[in-house]
């Protein structure tokens, strides 16, 4: 979901230019019906590509309001939130856009693909993948931009993660072994009808077998007589070069009885189940020459059966083939603020997400060794920051400010010059649905080609569709264009660039490669190749938040207080008890919970102790105590920041935080923390006081 | 069991008669209602509901269960079945709600089907009606196969708020509300109260006087606005008004009470605070009695308009509820838990409370499944089209479906026919069971009660005619054999390669409790249920499981590899505590690990209570 990224766009851009552009944008939509041919095409494009931009659309971002990204998220909590989101929501669209540098035309050629995907469960897997969560606002957002839910559900390409595939194959192997070791178990004969039926079947089969043995040449005569009296329930066929009876019109119970009879009374007959072409299975009784021949046949049948199941599993891999291609080609992947996207890729196509961010990052790095995030690039590179000036780095605004010629291209006629350095050229091209983004060097000189953009009148008559902007394929295209332009601005000369060289290893890009925003609000950056975290240094001055000074061990989490309690009141009451400078800040988690940051970590322990004492005592003093306002109702709970992490790691998601804490199974009201050793505290106190003072002064400056 | 007249049996009838009833399958025209035509449809459906005898409803949800063991199964008691349905109702979303008011007269059914497309859009920018919801992929795919249009549902679906959400929304919007007329409270006023009243009273008198004076005096506009600034007077709907801040509900009540003295021309409005309490009382001065009525009428109207917008589809639920007509469903537990949680209030923790709460809204709920169970060959059938065709084959019950054409545009979707089929099935069943559905509206008590005997039964696997046996559950849907919950043991921790048959043979060799007749069934691939057909053996077995010493043979080996066992109470607790893991084994492990399980004595008495209410009839409550 690019919701956040696009909110700005919705308000700023006039809708007039969307329409003309969107209706003509040559995006390749891929569903079940054209998947195979599209993947074959994409494969050649991917192999030739210099970099591949990706983008995902999901059914939601946060499973509860308090699970949204907050300022008070420590890096590990942030990862837990991303993990929760990726595990619960589904990906409904996957945009893949390979870009190739064309040295003859001196331009990039892009091939945007828009895959509709839907977890169809073609192979029974773990139950967690049979359902997904939808966030109402996200669905509404997708609908507003004309997302085609029908196409997605009816026609979406299914997928199987690597882990799911392994599991399915493992189960298949187990079943295969089981079936080999214990063939049909004896069916106890309970009722008279069962006994009679078994007896009748025994006679029938003996008749048939004896007939075969008696007269091997006169099969036709035998066939006729046998068919007539059995009401076509038996049919003579040949199976694997052996005479066989196909059984029709029996109930499964009767079939079990026949199987049991065959096993018990006939050494030379084999009962086999054959998977038919139209997925309905067919039961056969096959005549074999000997016992060894029978075992051979059974093995053969099992082998067939297994192979068919394997084919089915392979077929269910579906969209993951694209991910496997991206991974095996080791191409440079471009995304825009793509940490969540990669978490989705991991959980949907690789395997379950690990519990630690470092482990996740390692696993992603192994699969995709080169990733560049355009949001990081735009925010951390000095040249690009200057170029972007103060403008926002959301995908669409970055696209507008870096590549205006593409964004506005279709609104104008061909060969329009916007400024002295940028030229946009629109010409028709017969054979391809792709767009040619031609970056002419030196200077930013883009040429944008499309076969649809041949006449001006076409735009005017085109129907008003605003959808394309939020389609994964188009978003991936935008991301790729931003990257191409950014490279250009960084002075990477594509003319001197050889295709064998990996862009990610370019000296100008190298220091930005494999870095991702773990959290954009906090400027937390994680290095995919090492797992190290850094806090963004450049942007700190711009951060209007004072979070740089967050000390998580100074934080108390309070929840379950009366619903009309105001944040200011909470701060006031706590300050009354612990002193006017004791509380650095109070931040709402949701209507039922707050974070209180104290100036010293020992105050955390003190507060929890006071709260616990108040909870237990019931005298007049406790009623008059300033904290009693917060404790009113008797459901107020408090704990340190670690508890917040524990609650976030739960797979449950209740809308209100207080309900969540209860659902997670928290029965206590206060979780005391031990006060640290005196010596240590003194030392730290000094440090923290200084730190807190800095934080406060910083805060004051901001105000 | 009702004896069915053999004359009705189809096989005795000449083929000539039956042929006339083999009409090709018809497509009924059903009105599709979305946001755009909802307001227009409301009046129609209102009149149709009021003129019909029954209202059939049918829901299509985004899912039914999150894991195989979480679907309602025959070994569930009414309580665990409810808890499972509750979990599903809270988790999934209704996207399509079909309502069909219908009347049965002799063999003719007159039905007015409506298909409402719902989407829980947050019309108010609050996290209501639902922040998020789950989708089961298989449910969505089967809906798509039936021709359900997801695009139009999400774009143009009708939103709604439950009754409870509506009151919460009112407070959050914070619009001033008309104060309800309070009858003089009998409580004696304290001195503080009297002082407060007197102070406010004189304040209001003064304010009224100034208002009257200034309104007659001719003044410069500037002077007037300055005065307004200085005095802090406000205008409400171009009438002078004043806010009286109150500190408590008591004070608010006193103010409103006192204001009755000025009832001729003063209208009190309550301004709600965030938490739902009263923040202030706004006093609006009107120029005359007529003006006052005008203001009151306008305020009421405004509020209603806003609420109508907020309520959305719930308007339909409200009008069905207000009509008190019997509601006919197929799978009532599932449908009504959804209706309750989405349109009335969050579901209560126990089935009893649910029944009480539901009964206030819908006094009579008839599940066609319960009628069907009376006819012995139909006991197992749960699919409507199959049921109809089977009835057609066995009984001669011609039903003439009349659907007065409503849908103007020819929307030929195969989707949404279900509700009409429920009407048809209901009429057929009534005719076979010789119940006169027309009598439900009449005063003939005898006839009416015939139908009521089948009403309000929410246990999916029991019938009205069966004697409720203490704590008995059925193990198989198609078997009448019942067993007490006490004789059931859950086994898990045996790996995923074991079949029920293997487990049974392993158990047979390992404990004397298994020397008598017993059965083993897999609940899901992680957990099995063992049924002891002889009383008391389950306890012996569970005791053995707790002591390693008595174990022998394969059982000992299995226990050392992680086999665990627990009685029905643990299962019950897992449901009650909402430990809905995807594997039943994990849920049971958590239920055993729960600190509450230590207090076993307490929970045990509870469980027998629950079991006693195996069949719950609303009328018993």
């Amino acid at each position: 979901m690019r919701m956040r990224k696009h909110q700005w766009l919705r308000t700023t851009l006039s809708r007039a230019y969307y329409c003309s552009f969107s209706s003509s944008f040559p995006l390749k939509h891929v569903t079940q019906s054209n998947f195979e041919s599209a993947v074959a095409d994409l494969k050649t494009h991917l192999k030739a590509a210099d970099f591949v931009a990706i983008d995902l659309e999901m059914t939601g971002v946060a499973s509860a309001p308090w699970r949204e990204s907050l300022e008070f998220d420590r890096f590990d909590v942030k990862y837990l939130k991303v993990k929760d989101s990726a595990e619960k929501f589904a990906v409904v669209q996957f945009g893949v856009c390979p870009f190739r540098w064309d040295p003859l035309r001196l331009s990039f050629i892009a091939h945007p693909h828009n895959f509709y995907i839907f977890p169809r469960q073609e192979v029974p897997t773990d139950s967690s993948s049979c359902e997904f969560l939808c966030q109402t606002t996200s669905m509404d957002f997708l609908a507003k931009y004309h997302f085609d839910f029908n196409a997605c559900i009816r026609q979406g390409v299914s997928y199987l993660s690597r882990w799911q595939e392994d599991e399915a194959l493992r189960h298949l192997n187990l079943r295969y072994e089981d079936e080999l070791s214990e063939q049909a178990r004896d069916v106890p004969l309970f009722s008279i009808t069962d006994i009679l039926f078994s007896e009748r079947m025994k006679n029938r089969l003996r008749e048939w077998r004896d007939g075969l043995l008696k007269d091997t040449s006169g099969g036709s005569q035998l066939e006729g007589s046998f068919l007539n009296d059995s009401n076509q329930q038996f049919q003579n066929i040949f199976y694997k070069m052996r005479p066989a009876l196909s059984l029709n019109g029996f109930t499964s119970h009767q079939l079990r009885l026949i199987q049991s009879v065959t096993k018990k009374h006939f050494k030379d007959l084999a009962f086999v189940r054959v998977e038919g072409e139209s997925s309905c299975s067919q039961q056969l009784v096959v005549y074999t020459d000997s016992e060894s021949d029978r075992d051979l046949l059974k093995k053969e049948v099992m082998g067939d059966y297994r192979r068919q199941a394997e084919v089915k599993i392979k077929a269910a891999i579906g969209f993951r083939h694209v991910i496997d291609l991206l991974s095996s080609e080791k191409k440079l992947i471009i995304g825009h603020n793509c940490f969540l996207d990669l978490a989705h890729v991991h959980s949907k196509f690789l395997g379950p997400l690990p519990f630690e961010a470092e482990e996740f990052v390692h696993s992603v790095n192994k699969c995709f060794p080169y990733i560049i995030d355009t949001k990081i690039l735009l925010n951390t590179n000095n040249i690009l920051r200057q170029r972007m000036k103060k403008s926002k780095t959301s995908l669409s605004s970055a696209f507008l400010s870096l590549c205006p010629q593409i964004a506005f291209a279709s609104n104008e006629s061909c060969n329009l010059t916007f400024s002295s350095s940028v030229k946009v050229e629109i010409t028709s091209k017969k054979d391809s649905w792709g767009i040619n983004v031609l970056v002419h060097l030196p200077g930013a000189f883009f040429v944008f080609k499309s076969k649809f953009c041949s006449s001006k009148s076409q735009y005017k008559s085109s129907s008003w569709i605003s959808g394309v902007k939020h389609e994964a394929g188009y978003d991936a295209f935008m991301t790729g264009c931003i990257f191409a332009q950014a490279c250009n601005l960084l002075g990477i000369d594509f003319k001197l660039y050889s295709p064998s060289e990996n862009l990610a290893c370019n000296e100008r890009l190298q220091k930005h490669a494999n870095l991702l925003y773990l959290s954009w609000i906090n400027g937390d950056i994680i290095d995919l190749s090492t797992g190290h975290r850094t806090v963004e240094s450049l942007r700190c001055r711009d951060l209007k938040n004072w979070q740089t000074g967050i000390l998580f061990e100074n934080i108390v989490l309070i929840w379950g207080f009366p619903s009309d309690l105001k944040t200011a009141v909470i701060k006031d009451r706590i300050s009354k008890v612990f002193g006017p400078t004791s509380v650095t800040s109070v931040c709402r988690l949701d209507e039922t919970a707050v974070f209180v940051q104290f100036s010293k970590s020992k105050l955390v322990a003190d507060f929890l102790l006071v709260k616990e004492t108040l909870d237990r005592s019931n005298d007049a003093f406790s009623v008059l105590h300033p904290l009693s306002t917060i404790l009113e109702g008797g459901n107020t709970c408090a704990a340190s920041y670690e508890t917040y992490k524990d609650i976030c790691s739960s797979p449950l998601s209740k809308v209100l935080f207080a309900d969540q804490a209860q659902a997670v199974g928290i029965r206590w009201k206060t979780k005391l923390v031990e006060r640290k050793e005196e010596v240590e505290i003194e030392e730290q106190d000094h440090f923290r006081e200084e730190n807190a003072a800095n934080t406060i002064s910083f805060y004051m400056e901001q105000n | 069991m009702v004896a069915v007249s053999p004359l009705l049996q189809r096989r005795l009838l000449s083929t000539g008669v039956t042929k006339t009833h083999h009409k090709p399958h018809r497509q009924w025209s059903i009105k599709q209602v979305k946001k755009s035509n909802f307001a227009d449809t409301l009046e129609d459906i209102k009149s149709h509901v009021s003129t019909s005898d029954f209202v059939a409803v049918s829901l299509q949800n985004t899912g039914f269960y999150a894991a195989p063991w979480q679907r309602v199964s025959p070994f569930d008691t009414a309580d665990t079945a409810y808890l499972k349905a509750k979990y599903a109702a809270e988790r999934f979303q209704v996207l399509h709600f079909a309502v069909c008011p219908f009347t049965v007269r002799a063999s003719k059914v007159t039905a007015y089907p409506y298909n409402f497309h719902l989407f829980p859009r947050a019309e108010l920018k609050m996290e209501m009606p639902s922040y998020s919801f789950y989708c089961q992929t298989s449910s969505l795919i089967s809906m798509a196969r039936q021709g359900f249009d997801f695009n139009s549902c999400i774009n143009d679906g009708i939103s709604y708020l439950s009754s409870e959400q509506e009151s919460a929304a009112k407070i959050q919007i914070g619009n001033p509300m008309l104060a309800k007329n309070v009858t003089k409270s009998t409580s004696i006023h304290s001195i503080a109260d009297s002082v407060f009243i007197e102070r406010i009273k004189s304040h209001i008198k003064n304010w009224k006087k100034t208002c009257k004076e200034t309104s007659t005096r001719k003044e410069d506009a500037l002077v007037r606005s300055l005065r307004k600034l200085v005095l802090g007077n406000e205008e409400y709907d171009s009438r002078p008004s004043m806010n009286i801040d109150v500190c408590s509900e008591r004070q608010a009540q006193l103010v409103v009470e006192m204001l009755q003295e000025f009832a001729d021309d003063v209208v009190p409005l309550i301004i709600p605070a965030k938490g739902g309490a009263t923040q202030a009382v706004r006093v609006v001065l009107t120029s005359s009695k007529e003006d006052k009525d005008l203001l009151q009428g306008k305020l009421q109207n405004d509020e209603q308009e806003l609420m109508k917008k907020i309520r959305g589809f719930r308007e339909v639920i409200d009008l069905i509820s207000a009509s008190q007509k019997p509601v006919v469903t197929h799978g009532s537990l599932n449908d009504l838990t959804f209706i309750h949680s989405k349109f009335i209030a969050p579901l209560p923790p126990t089935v009893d409370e649910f029944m009480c709460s539901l009964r206030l809204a819908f006094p009579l709920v008839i599940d066609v499944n319960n009628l069907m169970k009376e006819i012995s060959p139909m006991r197992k059938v749960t699919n409507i089209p199959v049921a109809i065709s089977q009835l057609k084959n066995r009984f001669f019950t011609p039903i003439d479906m009349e659907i007065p054409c409503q849908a103007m545009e020819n929307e030929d979707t195969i989707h949404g026919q279900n509700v009409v089929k429920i009407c048809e099935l209901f009429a057929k069943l009534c005719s076979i069971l010789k119940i006169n559905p027309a009598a439900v509206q009449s005063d003939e008590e005898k006839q009416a009660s015939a139908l009521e005997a089948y009403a309000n039964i929410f246990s999916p696997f029991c019938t009205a005619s069966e004697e409720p046996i203490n704590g008995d559950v059925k193990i198989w849907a198609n078997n009448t054999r019942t067993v007490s919950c006490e004789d059931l043991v859950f086994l898990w921790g045996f790996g995923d390669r074991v079949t029920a048959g293997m487990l049974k043979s392993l158990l047979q060799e390992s404990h004397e409790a298994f020397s008598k007749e017993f059965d083993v069934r897999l609940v899901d691939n992680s957990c099995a249920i063992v049924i002891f057909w002889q009383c008391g053996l389950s306890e012996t077995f569970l005791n053995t499981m707790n002591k390693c010493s008595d174990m022998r043979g394969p059982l000992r080996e299995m226990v050392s590899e992680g086999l665990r066992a627990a009685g029905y109470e643990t299962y019950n607790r897992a449901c009650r505590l909402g430990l809905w893991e995807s594997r039943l084994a994990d849920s049971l492990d958590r239920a055993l690990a729960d600190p509450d399980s230590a207090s076993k004595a307490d929970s045990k008495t509870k469980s027998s209570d629950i079991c006693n209410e195996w069949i719950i009839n609303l009328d018993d409550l």
Side-chain angles (χ1 to χ4, degrees), chain A residues 341-406:
Chain A
D341 290 357
L342 288 174
H344 271 285
V345 168
H346 193 289
S347 91
K348 305 297 187 288
F349 310 114
L350 303 181
L353 287 166
F355 287 98
E356 301 289 336
E358 285 77 10
E359 230 176 295
F360 162 72
V361 152
H362 179 70
S363 172
V364 168
N365 193 237
K366 234 170 41 187
C367 189
F368 306 110
Y370 312 104
I371 297 176
I372 290 182
D373 189 310
T374 43
K375 187 135 183 153
I376 290 268
L377 202 59
L378 296 182
N379 279 296
T380 54
N381 186 287
N382 281 325
I383 302 167
L384 294 174
R385 274 168 57 81
Q386 269 166 14
R387 168 67 211 267
M388 292 293 291
K389 288 185 193 99
K390 285 272 151 120
S391 62
K392 290 181 182 172
T393 52
S394 75
L395 179 62
S396 13
S397 40
F399 185 59
L400 265 182
S401 60
L402 283 183
C403 323
Q405 46 322 308
I406 301 178

Side-chain angles (χ1 to χ4, degrees), chain A residues 58-320:
Chain A
M58 299 80 135
T59 57
V61 179
S63 57
W66 57 269
R67 290 241 196 220
E68 281 161 21
S69 187
L70 294 173
E71 292 135 9
F72 268 114
D73 290 341
R74 198 167 56 192
F75 80 99
D76 48 352
V77 169
K78 176 67 197 170
Y79 173 69
L80 286 174
K81 286 184 173 180
V82 168
K83 176 172 176 280
D84 175 78
S85 173
E87 280 166 351
K88 288 201 172 107
F89 295 102
V91 175
V92 283
Q93 235 177 26
F94 201 113
V96 180
C97 185
F99 282 77
R100 180 174 64 85
W101 174 250
D102 187 338
L104 295 176
R105 282 189 224 141
L106 295 177
S107 65
F108 270 111
I109 300 180
H111 299 275
H113 285 68
N114 195 37
F115 288 89
Y116 281 96
I117 62 174
F118 191 71
R120 208 167 285 282
Q121 282 240 291
E122 277 155 353
V123 173
T125 49
D126 54 325
S127 56
S128 62
S129 61
C130 72
E131 56 168 15
F132 59 88
L133 195 62
C134 296
Q135 202 179 335
T136 317
T137 45
S138 302
M139 298 297 274
D140 216 21
F141 175 83
L142 284 174
K144 204 169 275 156
Y145 289 95
H146 301 274
F147 182 85
D148 191 346
F149 294 97
N150 288 338
C152 178
I153 295 167
R154 290 181 195 158
Q155 280 280 303
V157 183
S158 191
Y159 56 81
L160 211 56
S161 76
R162 287 180 185 173
W163 180 81
Q164 282 171 325
E165 186 195 346
D166 291 347
E167 281 293 291
L169 287 175
R170 192 176 66 89
H171 274 282
L172 181 69
N173 285 340
L174 289 180
R175 213 170 53 215
Y176 175 69
E177 279 167 30
D178 286 351
E179 280 195 42
L180 271 188
S181 59
E182 53 125 25
Q183 288 284 341
R185 268 177 299 115
D186 255 3
V187 183
L189 304 177
F190 283 126
S191 63
I192 288 291
T193 44
D194 281 358
I195 295 166
L196 287 177
F197 179 81
S198 299
E199 206 52 38
R200 195 158 56 90
M201 284 305 127
K202 196 165 88 185
N203 292 335
R204 278 280 159 81
L205 290 173
R206 176 163 298 137
E207 223 172 87
W208 176 68
R209 196 222 16 209
D210 293 349
L212 281 176
L213 291 175
K214 215 186 291 166
D215 185 12
T216 41
S217 56
S220 58
Q221 176 210 345
L222 169 116
E223 202 174 302
S225 68
F226 198 76
L227 271 180
N228 280 344
D229 74 337
S230 59
N231 210 4
Q232 303 228 319
Q233 279 185 315
F234 299 97
Q235 214 178 338
N236 265 310
I237 56 163
F238 278 90
Y239 179 71
K240 289 196 190 289
M241 318 280 284
R242 297 174 184 93
L245 272 185
S246 128
L247 310 170
N248 303 310
F250 291 102
T251 65
S252 56
H253 179 67
Q254 286 172 328
L255 286 171
R256 260 201 305 277
L257 290 173
I258 297 175
Q259 185 175 12
S260 150
V261 165
T262 323
K263 196 188 170 200
K264 228 191 261 172
H265 301 284
F266 302 97
K267 284 216 154 44
D268 47 1
L269 294 188
F271 184 94
V272 295
R273 189 162 52 88
V274 184
E275 213 66 46
E277 269 151 39
S278 53
S279 80
C280 61
S281 61
Q282 169 89 59
Q283 276 79 16
L284 303 175
V285 174
V286 188
Y287 172 79
T288 53
D289 292 334
S290 62
E291 237 174 286
S292 61
D293 186 36
R294 188 185 69 179
D295 290 345
L296 192 73
L297 174 77
K298 288 213 166 179
K299 234 182 200 138
E300 230 174 283
V301 170
M302 287 312 298
D304 279 0
Y305 183 64
R306 185 183 172 163
R307 230 163 295 140
Q308 270 167 357
E310 271 172 5
V311 166
K312 215 174 141 191
I313 291 170
K314 293 284 173 224
I317 289 170
F319 181 74
R320 209 196 75 219

Side-chain angles (χ1 to χ4, degrees), chain A residues 409-565:
Chain A
S410 56
N411 214 17
E412 309 295 332
S413 61
C414 305
N415 294 317
L416 233 190
T417 308
F418 278 93
S419 69
S420 55
S421 62
V422 178
K423 194 179 169 197
V424 178
E425 186 180 286
I426 304 167
T427 48
S428 68
K429 192 167 180 266
K430 274 183 221 154
D431 58 339
S432 120
W433 42 265
I435 330 148
N436 305 342
V437 180
L438 304 177
V439 189
H440 281 233
L441 298 170
F445 192 79
F446 273 77
V447 178
F448 165 72
K449 285 189 179 181
S450 164
K451 68 165 175 174
F452 297 98
C453 313
S454 48
S455 78
K456 203 178 171 183
S457 60
Q458 212 180 330
Y459 303 128
K460 286 177 182 160
S461 61
S462 65
S463 60
W464 197 94
I465 309 164
S466 69
V468 78
K469 284 283 172 180
H470 307 278
E471 270 177 304
Y474 186 72
D475 283 357
F477 167 74
M478 290 203 286
T479 310
C481 289
I482 291 171
F483 178 71
Q485 177 69 310
C487 287
N488 183 29
L489 290 171
L490 289 177
I492 295 170
D493 193 344
F494 289 105
K495 271 195 281 192
L496 306 173
Y497 160 82
S498 77
S500 59
E501 186 191 345
N502 194 324
L503 257 181
C505 301
N506 187 297
E507 53 179 335
R508 289 168 214 262
L509 286 172
Q510 209 171 14
K511 60 174 186 251
H512 304 291
N514 290 332
L515 294 179
L516 291 183
Y517 278 116
L518 185 57
S519 155
W520 159 246
I521 332 178
N522 299 355
D524 256 345
I525 296 175
I526 192 157
D527 189 332
L528 292 179
S529 46
T530 60
H532 294 318
R533 287 182 315 109
T534 44
V535 174
E536 191 178 12
S537 49
L538 274 170
R539 200 160 53 96
C540 279
R541 265 171 284 128
D542 305 351
L543 276 177
K544 62 172 188 292
N545 313 315
W546 38 273
Q547 279 67 39
T548 38
I550 290 182
L551 292 164
F552 291 101
E553 58 276 46
N554 291 11
I555 288 176
V556 168
L557 173 64
I558 308 173
W559 72 92
F561 45 78
S563 60
D564 51 349
L565 198 61

Side-chain angles (χ1 to χ4, degrees), chain A residues 62-66 68 88-89 118-121 127-137 139-140 143-144 146-151 153-154 170-171 174 177-178 182 185 563-564 591 651-652 654-655 663-664 667, chain B residues 65-68 90-92 119-122 125 127 130-138 140-141 144-145 147-152 154-155 172 274-275 277 496-497 499 501-502 525 577-578 582-583 590 594-596:
Chain A
S63 57
W66 57 269
E68 281 161 21
K88 288 201 172 107
F89 295 102
F118 191 71
R120 208 167 285 282
Q121 282 240 291
S127 56
S128 62
S129 61
C130 72
E131 56 168 15
F132 59 88
L133 195 62
C134 296
Q135 202 179 335
T136 317
T137 45
M139 298 297 274
D140 216 21
K144 204 169 275 156
H146 301 274
F147 182 85
D148 191 346
F149 294 97
N150 288 338
I153 295 167
R154 290 181 195 158
R170 192 176 66 89
H171 274 282
L174 289 180
E177 279 167 30
D178 286 351
E182 53 125 25
R185 268 177 299 115
S563 60
D564 51 349
E591 58 197 272
L652 298 172
K654 299 279 176 193
V655 174
V664 166
R667 303 285 154 82
Chain B
Y65 52 87
E90 286 162 353
R91 206 172 162 78
F92 300 108
F119 188 72
R121 198 175 303 101
K125 303 281 163 225
E127 277 133 20
S130 94
Y131 183 81
S132 60
F133 56 88
Y134 271 94
C135 294
Q136 205 180 333
T137 43
S138 53
L140 293 191
I141 290 168
R145 213 170 280 144
F148 187 80
D149 186 348
F150 290 94
N151 287 345
S152 94
I154 297 169
N155 278 312
Q172 279 200 35
K274 234 189 169 176
D496 52 0
R497 291 178 66 177
T499 64
M502 284 158 72
N525 60 15
L577 294 176
S582 63
R583 283 152 38 99
R590 280 188 63 194
D594 194 82
D596 284 3

Side-chain angles (χ1 to χ4, degrees), chain B residues 291-408:
Chain B
D291 189 36
K292 189 194 156 195
D293 291 341
L294 195 75
L295 177 68
Q296 277 177 326
K298 188 177 170 289
L299 283 168
Q300 264 163 1
N301 215 19
D302 283 356
E303 195 183 324
Q304 269 169 8
E305 279 301 309
L306 178 72
M307 284 304 133
K308 214 174 197 166
K309 216 179 106 193
I310 292 171
R311 259 177 249 149
F313 175 72
R314 211 193 77 232
E315 203 84 19
V316 176
I317 300 291
D318 283 353
L319 73 90
I320 296 172
S321 170
S323 75
Q324 300 280 297
K325 301 273 155 117
V327 173
V328 179
T329 67
H330 178 262
S332 55
L333 181 68
N334 180 43
D335 283 2
L336 286 154
T337 43
F338 265 92
I339 292 175
H340 192 287
S341 88
K342 307 292 177 209
F343 307 115
I344 301 173
L347 287 164
T350 67
V351 68
D352 303 1
E353 288 168 70
F354 165 67
M355 302 289 257
C356 288
S357 167
L358 189 70
R359 203 181 178 194
L360 294 175
F362 306 105
L364 209 62
V365 178
I366 301 160
D367 191 336
V368 285
N369 275 334
N370 286 325
L371 293 176
M372 214 132 66
K373 280 173 191 146
E374 292 303 298
I375 305 163
S376 59
M378 305 297 296
R379 292 181 71 105
K380 295 181 224 171
V381 183
T382 49
N383 177 313
I384 299 177
V386 173
I388 290 180
S389 77
Q390 286 205 5
L391 285 177
K392 223 174 229 166
N393 290 339
R394 285 172 186 276
F395 304 102
F396 175 63
T397 52
I399 296 291
D400 187 16
M401 294 295 293
E402 191 198 58
I403 295 172
C405 195
Q406 298 186 70
M408 292 308 284

